[in-house]
Amino acid sequence: MKEYGQGEKIGVAVIQPALVEEGDARRLARVERLLYGARGADLVLLPELWRVGYSDFSSYSRKAETLEGETVSFLRKVTRGLGIYLLGGSIVERQGERLYNTAALLDREGKLIGSYRKAHLLSYRSQERDLLTPGGGSEVVKTKIGRLGIAICYDLRFPELFRGMSEQGAEVFLIPAAWPSARMEAWEALCQARAVENQGYIIACNAVGRGLLGRSMVVDPWGVKVAALGVREGVLQAEIDLEALRDFRDEFSAWRER
């Protein structure tokens, strides 16, 4: 396992599943197969609400769980089996009477090292804002493979969130999403804009099926898509170079000169 500060490239993998009509056991088996297809990566991402299905609003309450529940337990097993850092997409998290759209970050031993509750909830043709509670702040986690900031889907439209994470030291932004096919241009433009204006890597993970766009991507600090998937199920693999990122920030310090 490569570690932060060693001057080595970090292997990342983005899991883009097809969210077709299927039973829960089949969905778990599909995702597990894709995860094991990412063997050899250091950091792996899953998309937003991949188990529940973002648009299945009627099931949010019934399928809500805690960060100690079945989904995170499943992810713990995978991280230990593969020795990876895993941003496990997001779950509908229940805390008391409230529900949140929450992303969980696990280390290679299966330990929960960070969680983020989606701050911006969509009301446009969505029930998310009616059903869920917005999170209260940003999340940046210092790991042995870099400083990781977390956002979820609609958060991409709010540059202040990313600026705040930059000020906390974020170098790589992890974005699980359920982005719709109808807004493809916005998806690509916003991922590239957030990378450029914060001089950081964007790793954006989407799903396909049920009107979802796919087109997961890795964008470098210059705004270049270094890897991207189309509209099929698959595993996207790439390398990110944190040493080059830090050199770039030192030489061209636009993110500090606003």
Side-chain angles (χ1 to χ4, degrees), residues 96-113:
E97 297 299 314
R98 294 185 174 185
L99 303 180
Y100 300 89
N101 186 341
T102 303
L105 178 66
L106 306 176
D107 70 11
R108 59 182 180 263
E109 296 173 351
K111 179 182 177 182
L112 181 68
I113 57 173

Side-chain angles (χ1 to χ4, degrees), residues 8-127:
E8 297 186 26
K9 294 182 179 180
I10 303 300
V12 301
V14 179
I15 307 300
Q16 182 170 285
L19 302 187
V20 299
E21 294 291 338
E22 60 189 348
D24 186 60
R26 187 178 293 273
R27 174 72 55 78
L28 284 173
R30 173 195 295 272
V31 169
E32 185 172 21
R33 173 179 56 81
L34 290 167
L35 285 165
Y36 276 87
R39 187 183 297 276
D42 301 297
L43 171 66
V44 180
L45 276 70
L46 283 166
E48 178 184 21
L49 297 181
W50 57 269
R51 189 172 182 185
V52 176
Y54 175 82
S55 60
D56 193 2
F57 301 113
S58 63
S59 72
Y60 274 23
S61 181
R62 175 170 51 86
K63 293 183 178 180
E65 54 186 306
T66 70
L67 288 172
E68 300 299 324
E70 184 180 3
T71 299
V72 175
S73 295
F74 162 78
L75 297 172
R76 289 183 196 278
K77 180 186 70 173
V78 173
T79 60
R80 288 193 291 262
L82 291 174
I84 57 173
Y85 285 85
L86 176 62
L87 193 284
S90 69
I91 64 170
V92 179
E93 180 198 4
R94 182 184 298 281
Q95 185 179 67
E97 297 299 314
R98 294 185 174 185
L99 303 180
Y100 300 89
N101 186 341
T102 303
L105 178 66
L106 306 176
D107 70 11
R108 59 182 180 263
E109 296 173 351
K111 179 182 177 182
L112 181 68
I113 57 173
S115 64
Y116 166 74
R117 291 171 171 169
K118 190 175 183 180
H120 303 93
L121 302 179
L122 184 64
S123 59
Y124 177 71
R125 299 180 179 178
S126 171
Q127 298 176 44

Side-chain angles (χ1 to χ4, degrees), residues 5-6 10 18 23 26 38 43 92 101 104 155-156 159 164 171 176 179 182 188-189 207 231 233 247 257-258:
Q6 292 182 324
I10 303 300
R26 187 178 293 273
L43 171 66
V92 179
N101 186 341
D155 285 329
L156 266 173
E171 300 168 308
W179 202 276
E188 296 193 349
V231 294
E233 177 173 280
D247 289 344
E257 295 169 354
R258 60 192 183 282

